[in-house]
Amino acid sequence: MTDSVLVIGAGVAGMRAALDLARHGIQVVLIEREPVLGGVMASRLSDEEESFSFAHGVEVPKTQQIAAQKNIEVLTLAEIVELAGTAGDFTATIRQRARFVTDACTRCRHCHTVCPQVAPNQFQAGITLRKAIYTPFRDAFPSSYVIDIETCLNNPPNYMPCQRCVEVCDDKAIHFEMAAEQQLTRKAGAVVVATGFAVEGSGELDRYGYGSHPDILSYMEFEQLISPVGPSGGFVEKLSNSTSPENVLYVMHDASRFATGCAAAQCDKMADQEIKNIVVLHPSTTKEGDPFGTFWRRIARHSVALVEGEVERIAPIEDDQLRVRYKEANQPLSTTEDYDMVVLTTRAKASPGFSKTAAVLGIEHNGFGFVRAGQTIGGINATSQPGIYVAGCASGLKDVHETIAESKSAAIHSMRHVQARADKADTPIVTGHTGVMIDGRWLTDEQIRKRIESILLNLMQAT
Ligand code: SF4
Ligand code: SF4
């Protein structure tokens, strides 16, 4: 039996599962397709001081914790291309693209200054630009710069018309002679799928005037404005003129728990900055009980107006103002108001490339492209393959409480398939055919169920 677990995806769910496993002396191979850890919330999870570390009262994992954990091997720019074997004895083949910059990088930024190639920074929702050699944001992990070879003028190893970055790198950290990609194999007793989610492109927002004015933002762009490592250092500013907005309209696409969780977090941030007038326009239908209960608990200390209705038109007017016409539910006439900024939410979808990963793992996905998750003891982490578990938004959108709870549950279930190394553990466990030993105590299936239920209860009480 191996001592390793493979975790695919390094967002909130993958990082939480990896840390829980590593703490118990299990070797974790954490793979991430992007050049840095953090997933959709990358910039928020990298900042030690950021309040999101206790989002909704729940502590979320931080990239610094991953960096400090010796039992976690981090492979960025990596994706799984083959999985052979069965639960307890998987062999994963991983393809890793070259970074072209080694750990010798000291983030001196000299290369960034001389690089002539520019592209939108996808880690800041495209509202800022980066160079072909770049680091996505302050405190990114891994900290070494990375070369986006699609944007770079070079096409190594044969065609290299540009050497500007190499010439100014005193630390000799840039190496275009690296193979463009390499294949690695790793043994794993279990696999945790934590591939997260993505947001729809901005195309569906065009009908609201998105793109016609810089102060009509998608919520991922707005997320960067409130991030401490974003372009304005976390202060909400109008992109048109760098002033603070006084009136903001927040337009919700749906009223799911996930959407209201995002809205609550973002409106909370705005209200903390004393933005005078925040109006949340939300659709009338909800299929998930009363998600606004959570919203109001979070936002109750602020004066945020919640209006049931739909936007009809948003048009820029003079003085960088936006004129909004919307139809309030149960009102005969439309309302017209002027705002300094409009934030538009978009539909979320399964992570790009997930269907390819699902095919490699041999697991089923549902009709919407997410993992089809089944019941495990005390959780909903099972996939259609024994030894492969799912955590977080890979199986559908959920809020941070559910994500953390599922990640902890997936970690516990994965422990059943590995032999942990007591000498490498902060909290030793021993696994065997009768159950799992955690904190020096053998747990039966029933005790595992109770333990997971207690994790869930504690998380729910934290709201
Ligand atoms: S790659 Fe070299 S020049 Fe660029 S930031 Fe790193 S050490 Fe500095
Ligand atoms: S070699 Fe590529 S990354 Fe380096 S300066 Fe030239 S374009 Fe930029």
Side-chain angles (χ1 to χ4, degrees):
M1 201 182 244
T2 169
D3 65 350
S4 297
V5 170
L6 175 68
V7 178
I8 304 174
V12 171
M15 284 166 50
R16 181 70 273 158
L19 285 167
D20 279 15
L21 288 161
R23 186 169 71 87
H24 289 298
I26 292 166
Q27 189 64 38
V28 178
V29 181
L30 177 61
I31 66 171
E32 167 58 49
R33 64 204 295 272
E34 299 293 346
V36 293
L37 305 192
V40 169
M41 302 304 296
S43 61
R44 303 283 291 275
L45 299 179
S46 71
D47 191 274
E48 197 72 76
E49 305 301 323
E50 167 59 9
S51 60
F52 188 75
S53 60
F54 290 94
H56 304 227
V58 180
E59 186 179 7
V60 295
K62 306 297 267 180
T63 50
Q64 291 89 346
Q65 293 173 290
I66 300 280
Q69 178 47 262
K70 297 277 183 290
N71 293 346
I72 300 177
E73 177 189 21
V74 173
L75 298 174
T76 52
L77 297 165
E79 57 188 328
I80 185 164
V81 291
E82 190 182 342
L83 186 72
T86 54
D89 187 26
F90 288 118
T91 301
T93 305
I94 297 157
R95 182 188 298 139
Q96 185 178 37
R97 286 168 286 136
R99 196 175 191 90
F100 297 107
V101 181
T102 68
D103 292 346
C105 172
T106 53
R107 296 175 68 87
C108 68
R109 208 177 147 84
H110 294 162
C111 54
H112 185 273
T113 307
V114 297
C115 178
Q117 292 296 95
V118 175
N121 185 352
Q122 70 273 33
F123 290 90
Q124 293 191 329
I127 59 175
T128 58
L129 297 174
R130 60 162 173 83
K131 296 292 185 71
I133 184 164
Y134 71 106
T135 185
F137 46 84
R138 193 193 78 203
D139 300 332
F141 179 79
S143 61
S144 309
Y145 274 46
V146 58
I147 291 177
D148 165 14
I149 206 64
E150 303 295 324
T151 306
C152 172
L153 293 171
N154 289 340
N155 183 14
N158 303 319
Y159 177 62
M160 302 186 67
C162 179
Q163 291 282 303
R164 291 175 180 83
C165 55
V166 178
E167 285 162 6
V168 298
C169 182
D170 297 334
D171 298 292
K172 307 281 179 249
I174 303 169
H175 293 271
F176 279 108
E177 71 277 13
M178 281 181 192
E181 63 178 46
Q182 60 174 339
Q183 289 217 341
L184 308 165
T185 56
R186 294 289 184 273
K187 300 291 280 183
V191 178
V192 176
V193 181
T195 44
F197 71 100
V199 289
E200 290 280 3
S202 56
E204 68 172 277
L205 302 180
D206 290 352
R207 65 195 170 105
Y208 298 124
Y210 177 79
S212 66
H213 192 278
D215 297 327
I216 304 175
L217 301 167
S218 72
Y219 79 112
M220 291 307 288
E221 291 168 337
F222 184 74
E223 183 65 28
Q224 293 308 314
L225 282 189
I226 57 176
S227 166
V229 293
S232 55
F235 293 99
V236 180
E237 285 183 354
K238 283 162 67 78
L239 291 180
S240 59
N241 58 20
S242 300
T243 60
S244 300
E246 293 192 348
N247 302 294
V248 177
L249 178 68
Y250 193 98
V251 182
M252 292 180 63
H253 178 273
D254 61 55
S256 63
R257 261 178 75 95
F258 173 80
T260 49
C262 291
Q266 295 195 329
C267 290
D268 205 18
K269 277 273 184 183
M270 272 195 274
D272 277 344
Q273 295 184 24
E274 298 181 357
I275 292 172
K276 283 186 194 155
N277 181 34
I278 304 169
V279 177
V280 177
L281 196 62
H282 68 91
S284 55
T285 51
T286 168
K287 295 177 182 145
E288 297 183 38
D290 178 23
F292 285 106
T294 309
F295 185 96
W296 281 120
R297 273 201 297 282
R298 184 87 196 275
I299 217 77
R301 64 198 172 97
H302 305 301
S303 55
V304 174
L306 194 56
V307 177
E308 187 177 317
E310 282 185 30
V311 166
E312 293 179 330
R313 187 162 188 270
I314 302 172
I317 55 173
E318 66 277 4
D319 297 329
D320 284 325
Q321 289 272 295
L322 301 163
R323 182 150 294 165
V324 181
R325 192 179 73 210
Y326 63 86
K327 180 78 170 54
E328 196 172 342
N330 305 319
Q331 294 295 323
L333 298 176
S334 299
T335 303
T336 300
E337 290 169 349
D338 293 346
Y339 288 90
D340 297 317
M341 179 183 283
V342 174
V343 182
L344 302 167
T345 65
T346 45
R347 211 186 301 267
K349 60 179 182 180
S351 181
F354 170 70
S355 54
K356 208 166 104 190
T357 304
V360 168
L361 300 178
I363 59 175
E364 294 174 6
H365 52 84
N366 63 25
F368 303 101
F370 293 97
V371 180
R372 186 186 299 284
Q375 190 74 39
T376 47
I377 303 160
I380 308 176
N381 299 108
T383 68
S384 51
Q385 290 292 343
I388 303 181
Y389 300 97
V390 61
C393 293
S395 61
L397 298 180
K398 50 206 62 150
D399 66 17
V400 70
H401 295 91
E402 296 166 299
T403 296
I404 296 282
E406 277 194 10
S407 309
K408 287 177 166 290
S409 173
I412 289 175
H413 287 295
S414 299
M415 291 174 195
R416 301 157 73 88
H417 305 285
V418 296
Q419 182 70 57
R421 294 267 306 271
D423 57 320
K424 293 167 77 181
D426 298 336
T427 311
I429 66 159
V430 181
T431 55
H433 63 279
T434 54
V436 180
M437 183 183 274
I438 299 178
D439 300 335
R441 201 159 74 85
W442 280 103
L443 300 183
T444 63
D445 284 354
E446 177 59 14
Q447 287 166 327
I448 290 171
R449 184 182 64 72
K450 283 191 177 151
R451 191 181 176 97
I452 292 170
E453 279 177 1
S454 125
I455 290 168
L456 282 166
L457 190 64
N458 287 338
L459 287 166
M460 294 318 286
Q461 283 172 344
T463 56

